[in-house]
Coordinates of all heavy atoms in Angstrom, one line a residue:
V217 N 0.8 -1.2 0.0 CA 0.0 0.0 0.0 C 0.9 1.2 0.0 O 2.0 1.2 0.5 CB -0.9 0.0 1.2 CG1 -2.0 -1.1 1.2 CG2 -0.1 0.0 2.5
A218 N 0.3 2.3 -0.5 CA 1.0 3.6 -0.4 C -0.1 4.7 -0.3 O -1.1 4.7 -0.9 CB 1.8 3.9 -1.7
L219 N 0.2 5.6 0.7 CA -0.7 6.7 0.9 C -0.2 8.0 0.3 O 1.0 8.3 0.4 CB -0.8 7.0 2.4 CG -1.3 5.8 3.3 CD1 -1.4 6.2 4.8 CD2 -2.6 5.2 2.8
A220 N -1.1 8.7 -0.4 CA -0.8 10.0 -0.9 C -1.2 11.1 0.0 O -2.0 11.0 0.9 CB -1.4 10.2 -2.3
G221 N -0.6 12.3 -0.2 CA -0.9 13.4 0.7 C -2.3 13.9 0.6 O -2.8 14.5 1.5
D222 N -3.0 13.6 -0.5 CA -4.4 14.0 -0.6 C -5.4 13.0 -0.1 O -6.6 13.1 -0.2 CB -4.7 14.3 -2.1 CG -4.5 13.0 -3.0 OD1 -4.2 11.9 -2.5 OD2 -4.6 13.2 -4.2
G223 N -4.8 11.9 0.6 CA -5.7 10.9 1.2 C -5.9 9.7 0.4 O -6.5 8.7 0.9
A224 N -5.5 9.7 -0.8 CA -5.7 8.5 -1.7 C -4.9 7.3 -1.1 O -3.7 7.5 -0.7 CB -5.3 8.8 -3.1
I225 N -5.4 6.1 -1.2 CA -4.7 4.9 -0.8 C -4.6 4.0 -2.1 O -5.5 3.7 -2.7 CB -5.6 4.1 0.2 CG1 -5.8 5.0 1.4 CG2 -4.9 2.8 0.6 CD1 -6.9 4.5 2.3
Y226 N -3.3 3.7 -2.4 CA -3.0 2.8 -3.5 C -2.6 1.4 -3.0 O -1.9 1.3 -2.0 CB -1.9 3.4 -4.4 CG -2.4 4.8 -5.0 CD1 -1.8 5.9 -4.5 CD2 -3.3 4.8 -6.0 CE1 -2.2 7.2 -5.0 CE2 -3.7 6.0 -6.5 CZ -3.2 7.2 -6.0 OH -3.6 8.4 -6.5
V227 N -3.1 0.4 -3.7 CA -2.9 -1.0 -3.3 C -2.3 -1.8 -4.5 O -2.9 -1.7 -5.6 CB -4.2 -1.6 -2.8 CG1 -4.0 -3.1 -2.5 CG2 -4.8 -0.9 -1.6
A228 N -1.2 -2.5 -4.2 CA -0.7 -3.4 -5.2 C -1.5 -4.7 -5.1 O -1.3 -5.5 -4.2 CB 0.8 -3.6 -5.0
D229 N -2.4 -4.9 -6.1 CA -3.3 -6.1 -6.1 C -2.5 -7.2 -6.9 O -2.8 -7.4 -8.1 CB -4.6 -5.7 -6.7 CG -5.7 -6.7 -6.4 OD1 -5.4 -7.7 -5.7 OD2 -6.8 -6.6 -7.0
F230 N -1.7 -7.9 -6.2 CA -0.6 -8.7 -6.9 C -1.2 -9.7 -7.8 O -0.8 -9.8 -9.0 CB 0.2 -9.4 -5.8 CG 1.5 -10.1 -6.2 CD1 2.6 -9.3 -6.5 CD2 1.5 -11.4 -6.4 CE1 3.8 -10.0 -6.9 CE2 2.6 -12.1 -6.8 CZ 3.8 -11.3 -7.1
D231 N -2.0 -10.6 -7.4 CA -2.5 -11.7 -8.3 C -3.5 -11.2 -9.3 O -3.7 -12.0 -10.3 CB -3.1 -12.8 -7.4 CG -2.1 -13.6 -6.6 OD1 -0.9 -13.4 -6.9 OD2 -2.4 -14.3 -5.7
N232 N -4.0 -10.1 -9.2 CA -4.9 -9.5 -10.3 C -4.1 -8.7 -11.3 O -4.7 -8.3 -12.3 CB -6.0 -8.6 -9.7 CG -7.2 -9.4 -9.1 OD1 -7.5 -10.4 -9.7 ND2 -7.8 -8.9 -8.1
G233 N -2.8 -8.4 -11.0 CA -2.0 -7.6 -11.9 C -2.6 -6.2 -12.1 O -2.5 -5.6 -13.2
R234 N -3.0 -5.6 -11.0 CA -3.6 -4.2 -11.0 C -3.1 -3.4 -9.8 O -2.7 -3.9 -8.8 CB -5.2 -4.3 -11.0 CG -5.8 -5.1 -12.2 CD -7.3 -5.0 -12.2 NE -7.8 -5.6 -13.4 CZ -9.0 -5.3 -13.9 NH1 -9.8 -4.4 -13.4 NH2 -9.4 -5.9 -15.0
V235 N -3.3 -2.1 -10.0 CA -3.1 -1.2 -8.9 C -4.5 -0.6 -8.6 O -5.2 -0.1 -9.5 CB -2.1 0.0 -9.2 CG1 -2.1 1.0 -8.0 CG2 -0.7 -0.6 -9.4
R236 N -5.0 -0.7 -7.4 CA -6.3 -0.2 -7.0 C -6.2 1.0 -6.2 O -5.1 1.3 -5.6 CB -7.0 -1.3 -6.2 CG -6.9 -2.7 -6.7 CD -7.6 -3.0 -8.0 NE -9.0 -3.0 -7.8 CZ -9.7 -4.0 -7.3 NH1 -9.1 -5.2 -7.0 NH2 -11.0 -4.0 -7.2
A237 N -7.2 1.8 -6.2 CA -7.3 3.1 -5.4 C -8.5 3.0 -4.5 O -9.6 2.6 -4.9 CB -7.4 4.3 -6.3
L238 N -8.2 3.3 -3.2 CA -9.3 3.3 -2.2 C -9.4 4.7 -1.6 O -8.4 5.5 -1.5 CB -9.0 2.3 -1.1 CG -9.2 0.8 -1.3 CD1 -8.2 0.3 -2.4 CD2 -9.1 0.1 0.0
D239 N -10.6 5.0 -1.1 CA -10.8 6.2 -0.3 C -11.0 5.8 1.2 O -10.9 4.6 1.5 CB -11.9 7.1 -0.8 CG -13.3 6.5 -0.6 OD1 -13.5 5.5 0.1 OD2 -14.2 7.0 -1.3
A240 N -11.2 6.8 2.1 CA -11.3 6.5 3.5 C -12.5 5.6 3.9 O -12.5 5.0 5.0 CB -11.4 7.8 4.3
T241 N -13.5 5.5 3.0 CA -14.6 4.6 3.3 C -14.4 3.2 2.8 O -15.3 2.3 3.0 CB -15.9 5.2 2.7 OG1 -15.8 5.0 1.2 CG2 -16.1 6.7 3.0
G242 N -13.3 2.9 2.1 CA -13.1 1.6 1.5 C -13.6 1.5 0.1 O -13.4 0.4 -0.5
A243 N -14.2 2.5 -0.4 CA -14.7 2.5 -1.8 C -13.5 2.3 -2.7 O -12.5 3.0 -2.6 CB -15.4 3.7 -2.2
T244 N -13.6 1.3 -3.7 CA -12.4 0.9 -4.4 C -12.6 1.1 -5.9 O -13.7 0.8 -6.5 CB -12.2 -0.6 -4.2 OG1 -11.9 -0.8 -2.8 CG2 -11.0 -1.2 -4.9
S245 N -11.6 1.5 -6.6 CA -11.6 1.6 -8.1 C -10.3 1.1 -8.6 O -9.3 0.9 -7.8 CB -11.8 3.1 -8.5 OG -10.8 3.9 -8.0
T246 N -10.2 0.9 -9.9 CA -8.9 0.4 -10.5 C -8.2 1.6 -11.1 O -8.8 2.3 -11.9 CB -9.2 -0.7 -11.6 OG1 -9.8 -1.8 -10.9 CG2 -8.0 -1.1 -12.3
L247 N -6.9 1.8 -10.7 CA -6.1 2.8 -11.3 C -5.3 2.3 -12.5 O -5.3 3.0 -13.5 CB -5.1 3.4 -10.3 CG -4.2 4.4 -10.8 CD1 -4.9 5.7 -11.1 CD2 -3.1 4.7 -9.7
V248 N -4.7 1.1 -12.4 CA -3.9 0.6 -13.5 C -4.3 -0.8 -13.8 O -4.4 -1.7 -12.9 CB -2.4 0.6 -13.1 CG1 -1.5 0.1 -14.3 CG2 -1.9 1.9 -12.6
A249 N -4.6 -1.1 -15.1 CA -4.9 -2.4 -15.6 C -4.5 -2.4 -17.1 O -5.3 -1.8 -17.8 CB -6.3 -2.8 -15.4
Q250 N -3.4 -2.9 -17.4 CA -3.0 -2.8 -18.8 C -2.1 -4.0 -19.2 O -1.6 -4.7 -18.3 CB -2.3 -1.5 -19.2 CG -1.0 -1.3 -18.5 CD -0.4 0.1 -18.8 OE1 -1.0 1.1 -18.6 NE2 0.9 0.1 -19.3
D251 N -2.0 -4.3 -20.5 CA -1.2 -5.5 -20.9 C 0.2 -5.4 -20.4 O 0.8 -4.4 -20.4 CB -1.2 -5.5 -22.5 CG -2.6 -5.9 -23.0 OD1 -3.4 -6.4 -22.3 OD2 -2.8 -5.6 -24.2
H252 N 0.7 -6.6 -20.0 CA 2.0 -6.8 -19.5 C 2.4 -6.0 -18.3 O 3.5 -5.6 -18.1 CB 3.0 -6.5 -20.7 CG 2.9 -7.4 -21.9 ND1 2.8 -8.8 -21.8 CD2 2.7 -7.1 -23.2 CE1 2.6 -9.3 -23.0 NE2 2.5 -8.3 -23.9
F253 N 1.4 -5.7 -17.5 CA 1.6 -5.1 -16.2 C 1.2 -6.1 -15.2 O 0.0 -6.3 -14.9 CB 0.7 -3.8 -16.1 CG 0.9 -3.0 -14.8 CD1 1.8 -2.0 -14.7 CD2 0.2 -3.4 -13.7 CE1 2.0 -1.3 -13.6 CE2 0.4 -2.7 -12.5 CZ 1.3 -1.6 -12.4
A254 N 2.1 -6.9 -14.8 CA 1.8 -8.1 -14.0 C 2.6 -8.2 -12.7 O 3.8 -7.9 -12.7 CB 2.1 -9.4 -14.8
H255 N 1.9 -8.6 -11.7 CA 2.5 -8.9 -10.3 C 3.1 -7.6 -9.8 O 4.3 -7.5 -9.5 CB 3.6 -10.0 -10.4 CG 3.0 -11.3 -10.8 ND1 3.4 -12.0 -11.9 CD2 2.0 -12.1 -10.2 CE1 2.8 -13.1 -12.0 NE2 1.9 -13.2 -11.0
P256 N 2.3 -6.5 -9.6 CA 2.8 -5.3 -8.9 C 3.1 -5.5 -7.5 O 2.4 -6.2 -6.8 CB 1.7 -4.3 -9.2 CG 0.4 -5.2 -9.2 CD 0.9 -6.4 -9.9

């Protein structure tokens, strides 16, 4: 995980090959999902 100064929470979703973004309520979205971006 990594926290940004604006409160964003980034998660390395390893087995999905994605980076996810969360807010303080746990609401989740996908920030990165692209070809050959695997095991972050």
Side-chain angles (χ1 to χ4, degrees):
V217 293
L219 304 183
D222 59 8
I225 302 166
Y226 298 106
V227 177
D229 195 3
F230 189 81
D231 287 346
N232 279 327
R234 298 187 176 204
V235 175
R236 317 291 288 280
L238 283 69
D239 67 16
T241 72
T244 300
S245 60
T246 296
L247 178 69
V248 184
Q250 63 184 54
D251 290 343
H252 300 308
F253 184 94
H255 299 121

